[in-house]
Amino acid sequence: DVVMTQSPLSLPVTLGQPASISCRSGQSLVYSDGNTYLNWFHQRPGQSPRRLIYKVSTRDSGVPDRFSGSGSGTDFTLKISRVEAEDVGVYYCMQGTHWPFSFGQGTKLEIK
Amino acid sequence: QVQLQESGPGLVKPSETLSLTCTVSGASITSYYWTWIRQPPGRELEYIGYIYYSGSPNYNPSLKSRVTISMDTSRNQFSLKLTSVTAADTGVYYCARAARGLDVWGKGTTVTVSS
């Protein structure tokens, strides 16, 4: 199974400041069709996860442009340019390339 | 707007079978892949498996011997059965659309395995 490793696991951030989360996979996430199936999700307390980004860097509809995804192969990053109060919660990366698909451990973002 | 709603018993006895249904509105289940995911308390999300109406379901090998995912196109629903449950199967169970991308999720349903 492909292990997804996120860091940091806890991320205290001041409002208005940037934040960055790293996600590393145990093997390359490039699929045979040429796509890289790496997604980012945000889960607020008591809610289901919401997808923010798919295929490394494509933002979902309605996701603010302060969120951006980047990376390739085995190393990926989610960046928030200016953290807002509504961004608190847990962020997960997930790979959809190698079966069984798998999630990272989650990064808990909190406001300092 | 696509919506998914999980339903089923919130309490299951050890060694019995967990059965959940996901009702889809706003989209035909014959047009997409559909997935079950779970989240044990305080732990990361775990992929259970997915189904497409014209193919065989695909199950996580860690659960394969106990899992069945099926589809009812007449009701626009898909279902999860997990046999021989133990306390380790306690958690929040989610249904979601798509396999590789999980673009729409249900609100989740909590299942507790306890006698």
Side-chain angles (χ1 to χ4, degrees), chain A residues 31 39 41 43 48-49 51 92 96 99 101 103, chain B residues 39 45 47 58-60 94 100-103 106:
Chain A
Y31 189 53
N39 309 293
F41 297 88
Q43 185 176 32
S48 54
R51 195 179 71 179
Y92 295 95
W99 184 249
F101 305 147
F103 293 85
Chain B
Q39 188 169 32
L45 296 153
Y47 220 103
N58 212 355
Y59 304 132
N60 191 322
Y94 298 99
R100 301 184 189 279
L102 304 177
D103 61 341

mmCIF file with all atom_site columns, all heavy atoms in Angstrom, chain A residues 31 39 41 43 48-49 51 92 96 99 101 103, chain B residues 39 45 47 58-60 94 100-103 106:
data_model
loop_
_atom_site.group_PDB
_atom_site.id
_atom_site.type_symbol
_atom_site.label_atom_id
_atom_site.label_alt_id
_atom_site.label_comp_id
_atom_site.label_asym_id
_atom_site.label_entity_id
_atom_site.label_seq_id
_atom_site.pdbx_PDB_ins_code
_atom_site.Cartn_x
_atom_site.Cartn_y
_atom_site.Cartn_z
_atom_site.occupancy
_atom_site.B_iso_or_equiv
_atom_site.pdbx_formal_charge
_atom_site.auth_seq_id
_atom_site.auth_comp_id
_atom_site.auth_asym_id
_atom_site.auth_atom_id
_atom_site.pdbx_PDB_model_num
ATOM 1   N N   . TYR A 1 31  ? -0.033  8.247  -12.819 1.00 0.00 ? 31  TYR A N   1
ATOM 2   C CA  . TYR A 1 31  ? -0.784  7.089  -13.286 1.00 0.00 ? 31  TYR A CA  1
ATOM 3   C C   . TYR A 1 31  ? -0.441  6.805  -14.745 1.00 0.00 ? 31  TYR A C   1
ATOM 4   O O   . TYR A 1 31  ? 0.134   7.651  -15.427 1.00 0.00 ? 31  TYR A O   1
ATOM 5   C CB  . TYR A 1 31  ? -2.281  7.353  -13.117 1.00 0.00 ? 31  TYR A CB  1
ATOM 6   C CG  . TYR A 1 31  ? -3.185  6.160  -13.360 1.00 0.00 ? 31  TYR A CG  1
ATOM 7   C CD1 . TYR A 1 31  ? -2.971  4.963  -12.694 1.00 0.00 ? 31  TYR A CD1 1
ATOM 8   C CD2 . TYR A 1 31  ? -4.257  6.230  -14.262 1.00 0.00 ? 31  TYR A CD2 1
ATOM 9   C CE1 . TYR A 1 31  ? -3.789  3.863  -12.909 1.00 0.00 ? 31  TYR A CE1 1
ATOM 10  C CE2 . TYR A 1 31  ? -5.078  5.141  -14.486 1.00 0.00 ? 31  TYR A CE2 1
ATOM 11  C CZ  . TYR A 1 31  ? -4.832  3.955  -13.818 1.00 0.00 ? 31  TYR A CZ  1
ATOM 12  O OH  . TYR A 1 31  ? -5.647  2.880  -14.046 1.00 0.00 ? 31  TYR A OH  1
ATOM 13  N N   . ASN A 1 39  ? -5.144  14.530 -4.297  1.00 0.00 ? 39  ASN A N   1
ATOM 14  C CA  . ASN A 1 39  ? -6.208  15.435 -3.874  1.00 0.00 ? 39  ASN A CA  1
ATOM 15  C C   . ASN A 1 39  ? -5.896  16.007 -2.494  1.00 0.00 ? 39  ASN A C   1
ATOM 16  O O   . ASN A 1 39  ? -5.206  15.390 -1.688  1.00 0.00 ? 39  ASN A O   1
ATOM 17  C CB  . ASN A 1 39  ? -7.543  14.682 -3.761  1.00 0.00 ? 39  ASN A CB  1
ATOM 18  C CG  . ASN A 1 39  ? -7.892  13.892 -4.989  1.00 0.00 ? 39  ASN A CG  1
ATOM 19  O OD1 . ASN A 1 39  ? -8.154  14.447 -6.040  1.00 0.00 ? 39  ASN A OD1 1
ATOM 20  N ND2 . ASN A 1 39  ? -7.894  12.571 -4.863  1.00 0.00 ? 39  ASN A ND2 1
ATOM 21  N N   . PHE A 1 41  ? -8.113  17.654 0.862   1.00 0.00 ? 41  PHE A N   1
ATOM 22  C CA  . PHE A 1 41  ? -9.431  17.813 1.470   1.00 0.00 ? 41  PHE A CA  1
ATOM 23  C C   . PHE A 1 41  ? -9.307  18.639 2.745   1.00 0.00 ? 41  PHE A C   1
ATOM 24  O O   . PHE A 1 41  ? -8.266  18.629 3.424   1.00 0.00 ? 41  PHE A O   1
ATOM 25  C CB  . PHE A 1 41  ? -10.037 16.455 1.832   1.00 0.00 ? 41  PHE A CB  1
ATOM 26  C CG  . PHE A 1 41  ? -10.300 15.563 0.657   1.00 0.00 ? 41  PHE A CG  1
ATOM 27  C CD1 . PHE A 1 41  ? -9.309  14.725 0.200   1.00 0.00 ? 41  PHE A CD1 1
ATOM 28  C CD2 . PHE A 1 41  ? -11.525 15.576 0.020   1.00 0.00 ? 41  PHE A CD2 1
ATOM 29  C CE1 . PHE A 1 41  ? -9.532  13.892 -0.888  1.00 0.00 ? 41  PHE A CE1 1
ATOM 30  C CE2 . PHE A 1 41  ? -11.766 14.756 -1.067  1.00 0.00 ? 41  PHE A CE2 1
ATOM 31  C CZ  . PHE A 1 41  ? -10.768 13.911 -1.526  1.00 0.00 ? 41  PHE A CZ  1
ATOM 32  N N   . GLN A 1 43  ? -11.437 19.236 6.387   1.00 0.00 ? 43  GLN A N   1
ATOM 33  C CA  . GLN A 1 43  ? -12.525 18.738 7.223   1.00 0.00 ? 43  GLN A CA  1
ATOM 34  C C   . GLN A 1 43  ? -12.674 19.619 8.454   1.00 0.00 ? 43  GLN A C   1
ATOM 35  O O   . GLN A 1 43  ? -11.763 19.688 9.282   1.00 0.00 ? 43  GLN A O   1
ATOM 36  C CB  . GLN A 1 43  ? -12.275 17.288 7.646   1.00 0.00 ? 43  GLN A CB  1
ATOM 37  C CG  . GLN A 1 43  ? -13.432 16.665 8.422   1.00 0.00 ? 43  GLN A CG  1
ATOM 38  C CD  . GLN A 1 43  ? -13.215 15.198 8.759   1.00 0.00 ? 43  GLN A CD  1
ATOM 39  O OE1 . GLN A 1 43  ? -12.088 14.749 8.968   1.00 0.00 ? 43  GLN A OE1 1
ATOM 40  N NE2 . GLN A 1 43  ? -14.305 14.430 8.813   1.00 0.00 ? 43  GLN A NE2 1
ATOM 41  N N   . SER A 1 48  ? -18.185 16.502 7.165   1.00 0.00 ? 48  SER A N   1
ATOM 42  C CA  . SER A 1 48  ? -17.494 15.586 6.261   1.00 0.00 ? 48  SER A CA  1
ATOM 43  C C   . SER A 1 48  ? -16.397 16.354 5.521   1.00 0.00 ? 48  SER A C   1
ATOM 44  O O   . SER A 1 48  ? -16.445 17.582 5.419   1.00 0.00 ? 48  SER A O   1
ATOM 45  C CB  . SER A 1 48  ? -18.479 14.967 5.272   1.00 0.00 ? 48  SER A CB  1
ATOM 46  O OG  . SER A 1 48  ? -19.197 15.960 4.584   1.00 0.00 ? 48  SER A OG  1
ATOM 47  N N   . PRO A 1 49  ? -15.397 15.638 5.032   1.00 0.00 ? 49  PRO A N   1
ATOM 48  C CA  . PRO A 1 49  ? -14.341 16.313 4.258   1.00 0.00 ? 49  PRO A CA  1
ATOM 49  C C   . PRO A 1 49  ? -14.915 16.964 3.003   1.00 0.00 ? 49  PRO A C   1
ATOM 50  O O   . PRO A 1 49  ? -15.891 16.497 2.425   1.00 0.00 ? 49  PRO A O   1
ATOM 51  C CB  . PRO A 1 49  ? -13.392 15.164 3.898   1.00 0.00 ? 49  PRO A CB  1
ATOM 52  C CG  . PRO A 1 49  ? -13.626 14.126 4.950   1.00 0.00 ? 49  PRO A CG  1
ATOM 53  C CD  . PRO A 1 49  ? -15.092 14.221 5.249   1.00 0.00 ? 49  PRO A CD  1
ATOM 54  N N   . ARG A 1 51  ? -13.521 18.417 -0.739  1.00 0.00 ? 51  ARG A N   1
ATOM 55  C CA  . ARG A 1 51  ? -12.347 18.471 -1.618  1.00 0.00 ? 51  ARG A CA  1
ATOM 56  C C   . ARG A 1 51  ? -12.037 19.915 -1.992  1.00 0.00 ? 51  ARG A C   1
ATOM 57  O O   . ARG A 1 51  ? -12.935 20.676 -2.364  1.00 0.00 ? 51  ARG A O   1
ATOM 58  C CB  . ARG A 1 51  ? -12.582 17.632 -2.883  1.00 0.00 ? 51  ARG A CB  1
ATOM 59  C CG  . ARG A 1 51  ? -11.299 17.357 -3.661  1.00 0.00 ? 51  ARG A CG  1
ATOM 60  C CD  . ARG A 1 51  ? -11.556 16.507 -4.880  1.00 0.00 ? 51  ARG A CD  1
ATOM 61  N NE  . ARG A 1 51  ? -12.277 17.263 -5.907  1.00 0.00 ? 51  ARG A NE  1
ATOM 62  C CZ  . ARG A 1 51  ? -12.613 16.745 -7.092  1.00 0.00 ? 51  ARG A CZ  1
ATOM 63  N NH1 . ARG A 1 51  ? -12.318 15.502 -7.385  1.00 0.00 ? 51  ARG A NH1 1
ATOM 64  N NH2 . ARG A 1 51  ? -13.271 17.497 -7.966  1.00 0.00 ? 51  ARG A NH2 1
ATOM 65  N N   . TYR A 1 92  ? -6.296  16.890 4.708   1.00 0.00 ? 92  TYR A N   1
ATOM 66  C CA  . TYR A 1 92  ? -5.817  15.570 4.304   1.00 0.00 ? 92  TYR A CA  1
ATOM 67  C C   . TYR A 1 92  ? -5.392  15.586 2.841   1.00 0.00 ? 92  TYR A C   1
ATOM 68  O O   . TYR A 1 92  ? -6.090  16.147 1.990   1.00 0.00 ? 92  TYR A O   1
ATOM 69  C CB  . TYR A 1 92  ? -6.920  14.517 4.429   1.00 0.00 ? 92  TYR A CB  1
ATOM 70  C CG  . TYR A 1 92  ? -7.408  14.227 5.821   1.00 0.00 ? 92  TYR A CG  1
ATOM 71  C CD1 . TYR A 1 92  ? -8.533  14.877 6.327   1.00 0.00 ? 92  TYR A CD1 1
ATOM 72  C CD2 . TYR A 1 92  ? -6.764  13.297 6.636   1.00 0.00 ? 92  TYR A CD2 1
ATOM 73  C CE1 . TYR A 1 92  ? -9.002  14.600 7.603   1.00 0.00 ? 92  TYR A CE1 1
ATOM 74  C CE2 . TYR A 1 92  ? -7.226  13.027 7.915   1.00 0.00 ? 92  TYR A CE2 1
ATOM 75  C CZ  . TYR A 1 92  ? -8.339  13.681 8.384   1.00 0.00 ? 92  TYR A CZ  1
ATOM 76  O OH  . TYR A 1 92  ? -8.806  13.407 9.657   1.00 0.00 ? 92  TYR A OH  1
ATOM 77  N N   . GLY A 1 96  ? -5.089  8.838  -5.417  1.00 0.00 ? 96  GLY A N   1
ATOM 78  C CA  . GLY A 1 96  ? -6.050  8.011  -6.144  1.00 0.00 ? 96  GLY A CA  1
ATOM 79  C C   . GLY A 1 96  ? -5.395  7.314  -7.325  1.00 0.00 ? 96  GLY A C   1
ATOM 80  O O   . GLY A 1 96  ? -6.045  7.054  -8.342  1.00 0.00 ? 96  GLY A O   1
ATOM 81  N N   . TRP A 1 99  ? -4.111  1.397  -6.072  1.00 0.00 ? 99  TRP A N   1
ATOM 82  C CA  . TRP A 1 99  ? -5.108  0.760  -5.233  1.00 0.00 ? 99  TRP A CA  1
ATOM 83  C C   . TRP A 1 99  ? -4.441  -0.073 -4.145  1.00 0.00 ? 99  TRP A C   1
ATOM 84  O O   . TRP A 1 99  ? -3.490  -0.812 -4.446  1.00 0.00 ? 99  TRP A O   1
ATOM 85  C CB  . TRP A 1 99  ? -6.030  -0.126 -6.086  1.00 0.00 ? 99  TRP A CB  1
ATOM 86  C CG  . TRP A 1 99  ? -7.134  -0.714 -5.274  1.00 0.00 ? 99  TRP A CG  1
ATOM 87  C CD1 . TRP A 1 99  ? -7.323  -2.009 -4.919  1.00 0.00 ? 99  TRP A CD1 1
ATOM 88  C CD2 . TRP A 1 99  ? -8.216  0.026  -4.683  1.00 0.00 ? 99  TRP A CD2 1
ATOM 89  N NE1 . TRP A 1 99  ? -8.438  -2.130 -4.144  1.00 0.00 ? 99  TRP A NE1 1
ATOM 90  C CE2 . TRP A 1 99  ? -9.012  -0.892 -3.990  1.00 0.00 ? 99  TRP A CE2 1
ATOM 91  C CE3 . TRP A 1 99  ? -8.587  1.384  -4.665  1.00 0.00 ? 99  TRP A CE3 1
ATOM 92  C CZ2 . TRP A 1 99  ? -10.155 -0.509 -3.293  1.00 0.00 ? 99  TRP A CZ2 1
ATOM 93  C CZ3 . TRP A 1 99  ? -9.720  1.753  -3.978  1.00 0.00 ? 99  TRP A CZ3 1
ATOM 94  C CH2 . TRP A 1 99  ? -10.494 0.807  -3.294  1.00 0.00 ? 99  TRP A CH2 1
ATOM 95  N N   . PHE A 1 101 ? -6.500  3.158  -2.675  1.00 0.00 ? 101 PHE A N   1
ATOM 96  C CA  . PHE A 1 101 ? -6.261  4.580  -2.525  1.00 0.00 ? 101 PHE A CA  1
ATOM 97  C C   . PHE A 1 101 ? -6.109  4.884  -1.042  1.00 0.00 ? 101 PHE A C   1
ATOM 98  O O   . PHE A 1 101 ? -6.670  4.178  -0.178  1.00 0.00 ? 101 PHE A O   1
ATOM 99  C CB  . PHE A 1 101 ? -7.411  5.376  -3.125  1.00 0.00 ? 101 PHE A CB  1
ATOM 100 C CG  . PHE A 1 101 ? -7.679  5.019  -4.564  1.00 0.00 ? 101 PHE A CG  1
ATOM 101 C CD1 . PHE A 1 101 ? -8.961  5.064  -5.072  1.00 0.00 ? 101 PHE A CD1 1
ATOM 102 C CD2 . PHE A 1 101 ? -6.656  4.637  -5.411  1.00 0.00 ? 101 PHE A CD2 1
ATOM 103 C CE1 . PHE A 1 101 ? -9.230  4.725  -6.386  1.00 0.00 ? 101 PHE A CE1 1
ATOM 104 C CE2 . PHE A 1 101 ? -6.899  4.306  -6.744  1.00 0.00 ? 101 PHE A CE2 1
ATOM 105 C CZ  . PHE A 1 101 ? -8.197  4.342  -7.221  1.00 0.00 ? 101 PHE A CZ  1
ATOM 106 N N   . PHE A 1 103 ? -5.122  7.914  2.323   1.00 0.00 ? 103 PHE A N   1
ATOM 107 C CA  . PHE A 1 103 ? -5.084  9.275  2.848   1.00 0.00 ? 103 PHE A CA  1
ATOM 108 C C   . PHE A 1 103 ? -3.856  9.468  3.729   1.00 0.00 ? 103 PHE A C   1
ATOM 109 O O   . PHE A 1 103 ? -3.326  8.503  4.310   1.00 0.00 ? 103 PHE A O   1
ATOM 110 C CB  . PHE A 1 103 ? -6.316  9.532  3.710   1.00 0.00 ? 103 PHE A CB  1
ATOM 111 C CG  . PHE A 1 103 ? -7.622  9.552  2.965   1.00 0.00 ? 103 PHE A CG  1
ATOM 112 C CD1 . PHE A 1 103 ? -8.302  8.368  2.719   1.00 0.00 ? 103 PHE A CD1 1
ATOM 113 C CD2 . PHE A 1 103 ? -8.178  10.747 2.530   1.00 0.00 ? 103 PHE A CD2 1
ATOM 114 C CE1 . PHE A 1 103 ? -9.515  8.376  2.042   1.00 0.00 ? 103 PHE A CE1 1
ATOM 115 C CE2 . PHE A 1 103 ? -9.392  10.765 1.856   1.00 0.00 ? 103 PHE A CE2 1
ATOM 116 C CZ  . PHE A 1 103 ? -10.058 9.588  1.614   1.00 0.00 ? 103 PHE A CZ  1
ATOM 117 N N   . GLN B 2 39  ? -13.919 6.449  9.006   1.00 0.00 ? 39  GLN B N   1
ATOM 118 C CA  . GLN B 2 39  ? -12.977 7.179  9.850   1.00 0.00 ? 39  GLN B CA  1
ATOM 119 C C   . GLN B 2 39  ? -13.138 6.709  11.281  1.00 0.00 ? 39  GLN B C   1
ATOM 120 O O   . GLN B 2 39  ? -14.053 7.134  11.991  1.00 0.00 ? 39  GLN B O   1
ATOM 121 C CB  . GLN B 2 39  ? -13.229 8.687  9.736   1.00 0.00 ? 39  GLN B CB  1
ATOM 122 C CG  . GLN B 2 39  ? -12.184 9.541  10.421  1.00 0.00 ? 39  GLN B CG  1
ATOM 123 C CD  . GLN B 2 39  ? -12.336 11.005 10.063  1.00 0.00 ? 39  GLN B CD  1
ATOM 124 O OE1 . GLN B 2 39  ? -13.434 11.507 9.826   1.00 0.00 ? 39  GLN B OE1 1
ATOM 125 N NE2 . GLN B 2 39  ? -11.219 11.720 9.997   1.00 0.00 ? 39  GLN B NE2 1
ATOM 126 N N   . LEU B 2 45  ? -8.666  8.782  7.638   1.00 0.00 ? 45  LEU B N   1
ATOM 127 C CA  . LEU B 2 45  ? -9.685  8.221  6.759   1.00 0.00 ? 45  LEU B CA  1
ATOM 128 C C   . LEU B 2 45  ? -9.175  6.932  6.103   1.00 0.00 ? 45  LEU B C   1
ATOM 129 O O   . LEU B 2 45  ? -8.006  6.829  5.745   1.00 0.00 ? 45  LEU B O   1
ATOM 130 C CB  . LEU B 2 45  ? -10.044 9.243  5.689   1.00 0.00 ? 45  LEU B CB  1
ATOM 131 C CG  . LEU B 2 45  ? -10.684 10.532 6.236   1.00 0.00 ? 45  LEU B CG  1
ATOM 132 C CD1 . LEU B 2 45  ? -10.410 11.707 5.313   1.00 0.00 ? 45  LEU B CD1 1
ATOM 133 C CD2 . LEU B 2 45  ? -12.178 10.321 6.417   1.00 0.00 ? 45  LEU B CD2 1
ATOM 134 N N   . TYR B 2 47  ? -10.114 4.080  3.038   1.00 0.00 ? 47  TYR B N   1
ATOM 135 C CA  . TYR B 2 47  ? -10.892 3.746  1.856   1.00 0.00 ? 47  TYR B CA  1
ATOM 136 C C   . TYR B 2 47  ? -11.404 2.316  1.991   1.00 0.00 ? 47  TYR B C   1
ATOM 137 O O   . TYR B 2 47  ? -10.625 1.396  2.200   1.00 0.00 ? 47  TYR B O   1
ATOM 138 C CB  . TYR B 2 47  ? -9.985  3.845  0.628   1.00 0.00 ? 47  TYR B CB  1
ATOM 139 C CG  . TYR B 2 47  ? -10.609 4.448  -0.590  1.00 0.00 ? 47  TYR B CG  1
ATOM 140 C CD1 . TYR B 2 47  ? -10.327 5.758  -0.959  1.00 0.00 ? 47  TYR B CD1 1
ATOM 141 C CD2 . TYR B 2 47  ? -11.462 3.704  -1.374  1.00 0.00 ? 47  TYR B CD2 1
ATOM 142 C CE1 . TYR B 2 47  ? -10.884 6.315  -2.092  1.00 0.00 ? 47  TYR B CE1 1
ATOM 143 C CE2 . TYR B 2 47  ? -12.030 4.251  -2.502  1.00 0.00 ? 47  TYR B CE2 1
ATOM 144 C CZ  . TYR B 2 47  ? -11.743 5.558  -2.863  1.00 0.00 ? 47  TYR B CZ  1
ATOM 145 O OH  . TYR B 2 47  ? -12.302 6.105  -3.977  1.00 0.00 ? 47  TYR B OH  1
ATOM 146 N N   . ASN B 2 58  ? -14.556 -2.826 -6.288  1.00 0.00 ? 58  ASN B N   1
ATOM 147 C CA  . ASN B 2 58  ? -13.152 -2.934 -5.929  1.00 0.00 ? 58  ASN B CA  1
ATOM 148 C C   . ASN B 2 58  ? -13.027 -2.686 -4.432  1.00 0.00 ? 58  ASN B C   1
ATOM 149 O O   . ASN B 2 58  ? -13.460 -1.629 -3.947  1.00 0.00 ? 58  ASN B O   1
ATOM 150 C CB  . ASN B 2 58  ? -12.327 -1.903 -6.717  1.00 0.00 ? 58  ASN B CB  1
ATOM 151 C CG  . ASN B 2 58  ? -10.938 -2.403 -7.013  1.00 0.00 ? 58  ASN B CG  1
ATOM 152 O OD1 . ASN B 2 58  ? -10.530 -3.463 -6.564  1.00 0.00 ? 58  ASN B OD1 1
ATOM 153 N ND2 . ASN B 2 58  ? -10.189 -1.634 -7.786  1.00 0.00 ? 58  ASN B ND2 1
ATOM 154 N N   . TYR B 2 59  ? -12.449 -3.638 -3.700  1.00 0.00 ? 59  TYR B N   1
ATOM 155 C CA  . TYR B 2 59  ? -12.403 -3.552 -2.248  1.00 0.00 ? 59  TYR B CA  1
ATOM 156 C C   . TYR B 2 59  ? -10.981 -3.401 -1.751  1.00 0.00 ? 59  TYR B C   1
ATOM 157 O O   . TYR B 2 59  ? -10.036 -3.970 -2.306  1.00 0.00 ? 59  TYR B O   1
ATOM 158 C CB  . TYR B 2 59  ? -13.006 -4.809 -1.616  1.00 0.00 ? 59  TYR B CB  1
ATOM 159 C CG  . TYR B 2 59  ? -14.428 -5.120 -2.043  1.00 0.00 ? 59  TYR B CG  1
ATOM 160 C CD1 . TYR B 2 59  ? -14.791 -6.395 -2.457  1.00 0.00 ? 59  TYR B CD1 1
ATOM 161 C CD2 . TYR B 2 59  ? -15.409 -4.134 -2.024  1.00 0.00 ? 59  TYR B CD2 1
ATOM 162 C CE1 . TYR B 2 59  ? -16.088 -6.698 -2.837  1.00 0.00 ? 59  TYR B CE1 1
ATOM 163 C CE2 . TYR B 2 59  ? -16.709 -4.412 -2.412  1.00 0.00 ? 59  TYR B CE2 1
ATOM 164 C CZ  . TYR B 2 59  ? -17.045 -5.697 -2.819  1.00 0.00 ? 59  TYR B CZ  1
ATOM 165 O OH  . TYR B 2 59  ? -18.331 -5.975 -3.198  1.00 0.00 ? 59  TYR B OH  1
ATOM 166 N N   . ASN B 2 60  ? -10.845 -2.651 -0.649  1.00 0.00 ? 60  ASN B N   1
ATOM 167 C CA  . ASN B 2 60  ? -9.558  -2.574 0.023   1.00 0.00 ? 60  ASN B CA  1
ATOM 168 C C   . ASN B 2 60  ? -9.168  -3.986 0.471   1.00 0.00 ? 60  ASN B C   1
ATOM 169 O O   . ASN B 2 60  ? -9.950  -4.649 1.153   1.00 0.00 ? 60  ASN B O   1
ATOM 170 C CB  . ASN B 2 60  ? -9.658  -1.630 1.229   1.00 0.00 ? 60  ASN B CB  1
ATOM 171 C CG  . ASN B 2 60  ? -8.310  -1.302 1.818   1.00 0.00 ? 60  ASN B CG  1
ATOM 172 O OD1 . ASN B 2 60  ? -7.425  -2.146 1.898   1.00 0.00 ? 60  ASN B OD1 1
ATOM 173 N ND2 . ASN B 2 60  ? -8.156  -0.064 2.255   1.00 0.00 ? 60  ASN B ND2 1
ATOM 174 N N   . TYR B 2 94  ? -18.692 7.198  5.566   1.00 0.00 ? 94  TYR B N   1
ATOM 175 C CA  . TYR B 2 94  ? -19.081 8.161  4.546   1.00 0.00 ? 94  TYR B CA  1
ATOM 176 C C   . TYR B 2 94  ? -19.282 7.471  3.202   1.00 0.00 ? 94  TYR B C   1
ATOM 177 O O   . TYR B 2 94  ? -18.524 6.555  2.854   1.00 0.00 ? 94  TYR B O   1
ATOM 178 C CB  . TYR B 2 94  ? -17.990 9.217  4.343   1.00 0.00 ? 94  TYR B CB  1
ATOM 179 C CG  . TYR B 2 94  ? -17.663 10.090 5.524   1.00 0.00 ? 94  TYR B CG  1
ATOM 180 C CD1 . TYR B 2 94  ? -16.557 9.812  6.329   1.00 0.00 ? 94  TYR B CD1 1
ATOM 181 C CD2 . TYR B 2 94  ? -18.432 11.210 5.822   1.00 0.00 ? 94  TYR B CD2 1
ATOM 182 C CE1 . TYR B 2 94  ? -16.236 10.624 7.403   1.00 0.00 ? 94  TYR B CE1 1
ATOM 183 C CE2 . TYR B 2 94  ? -18.109 12.033 6.891   1.00 0.00 ? 94  TYR B CE2 1
ATOM 184 C CZ  . TYR B 2 94  ? -17.021 11.733 7.675   1.00 0.00 ? 94  TYR B CZ  1
ATOM 185 O OH  . TYR B 2 94  ? -16.705 12.544 8.737   1.00 0.00 ? 94  TYR B OH  1
ATOM 186 N N   . ARG B 2 100 ? -11.294 8.084  -7.725  1.00 0.00 ? 100 ARG B N   1
ATOM 187 C CA  . ARG B 2 100 ? -9.986  8.702  -7.560  1.00 0.00 ? 100 ARG B CA  1
ATOM 188 C C   . ARG B 2 100 ? -10.073 10.103 -6.980  1.00 0.00 ? 100 ARG B C   1
ATOM 189 O O   . ARG B 2 100 ? -9.094  10.594 -6.428  1.00 0.00 ? 100 ARG B O   1
ATOM 190 C CB  . ARG B 2 100 ? -9.267  8.769  -8.917  1.00 0.00 ? 100 ARG B CB  1
ATOM 191 C CG  . ARG B 2 100 ? -9.068  7.411  -9.559  1.00 0.00 ? 100 ARG B CG  1
ATOM 192 C CD  . ARG B 2 100 ? -8.269  7.540  -10.853 1.00 0.00 ? 100 ARG B CD  1
ATOM 193 N NE  . ARG B 2 100 ? -8.252  6.280  -11.584 1.00 0.00 ? 100 ARG B NE  1
ATOM 194 C CZ  . ARG B 2 100 ? -7.435  5.280  -11.311 1.00 0.00 ? 100 ARG B CZ  1
ATOM 195 N NH1 . ARG B 2 100 ? -6.557  5.387  -10.326 1.00 0.00 ? 100 ARG B NH1 1
ATOM 196 N NH2 . ARG B 2 100 ? -7.495  4.158  -12.008 1.00 0.00 ? 100 ARG B NH2 1
ATOM 197 N N   . GLY B 2 101 ? -11.250 10.742 -7.108  1.00 0.00 ? 101 GLY B N   1
ATOM 198 C CA  . GLY B 2 101 ? -11.314 12.159 -6.753  1.00 0.00 ? 101 GLY B CA  1
ATOM 199 C C   . GLY B 2 101 ? -12.232 12.533 -5.608  1.00 0.00 ? 101 GLY B C   1
ATOM 200 O O   . GLY B 2 101 ? -12.034 13.560 -4.987  1.00 0.00 ? 101 GLY B O   1
ATOM 201 N N   . LEU B 2 102 ? -13.265 11.732 -5.295  1.00 0.00 ? 102 LEU B N   1
ATOM 202 C CA  . LEU B 2 102 ? -14.153 11.971 -4.157  1.00 0.00 ? 102 LEU B CA  1
ATOM 203 C C   . LEU B 2 102 ? -14.642 13.411 -4.110  1.00 0.00 ? 102 LEU B C   1
ATOM 204 O O   . LEU B 2 102 ? -14.366 14.154 -3.153  1.00 0.00 ? 102 LEU B O   1
ATOM 205 C CB  . LEU B 2 102 ? -13.451 11.602 -2.854  1.00 0.00 ? 102 LEU B CB  1
ATOM 206 C CG  . LEU B 2 102 ? -12.931 10.166 -2.782  1.00 0.00 ? 102 LEU B CG  1
ATOM 207 C CD1 . LEU B 2 102 ? -12.194 9.938  -1.469  1.00 0.00 ? 102 LEU B CD1 1
ATOM 208 C CD2 . LEU B 2 102 ? -14.066 9.178  -2.936  1.00 0.00 ? 102 LEU B CD2 1
ATOM 209 N N   . ASP B 2 103 ? -15.373 13.842 -5.129  1.00 0.00 ? 103 ASP B N   1
ATOM 210 C CA  . ASP B 2 103 ? -15.734 15.254 -5.222  1.00 0.00 ? 103 ASP B CA  1
ATOM 211 C C   . ASP B 2 103 ? -16.970 15.637 -4.421  1.00 0.00 ? 103 ASP B C   1
ATOM 212 O O   . ASP B 2 103 ? -17.146 16.813 -4.103  1.00 0.00 ? 103 ASP B O   1
ATOM 213 C CB  . ASP B 2 103 ? -15.899 15.680 -6.679  1.00 0.00 ? 103 ASP B CB  1
ATOM 214 C CG  . ASP B 2 103 ? -17.003 14.925 -7.403  1.00 0.00 ? 103 ASP B CG  1
ATOM 215 O OD1 . ASP B 2 103 ? -17.410 13.839 -6.937  1.00 0.00 ? 103 ASP B OD1 1
ATOM 216 O OD2 . ASP B 2 103 ? -17.461 15.429 -8.451  1.00 0.00 ? 103 ASP B OD2 1
ATOM 217 N N   . GLY B 2 106 ? -21.245 12.465 1.468   1.00 0.00 ? 106 GLY B N   1
ATOM 218 C CA  . GLY B 2 106 ? -22.385 12.531 2.366   1.00 0.00 ? 106 GLY B CA  1
ATOM 219 C C   . GLY B 2 106 ? -21.944 13.118 3.698   1.00 0.00 ? 106 GLY B C   1
ATOM 220 O O   . GLY B 2 106 ? -20.748 13.363 3.913   1.00 0.00 ? 106 GLY B O   1
#
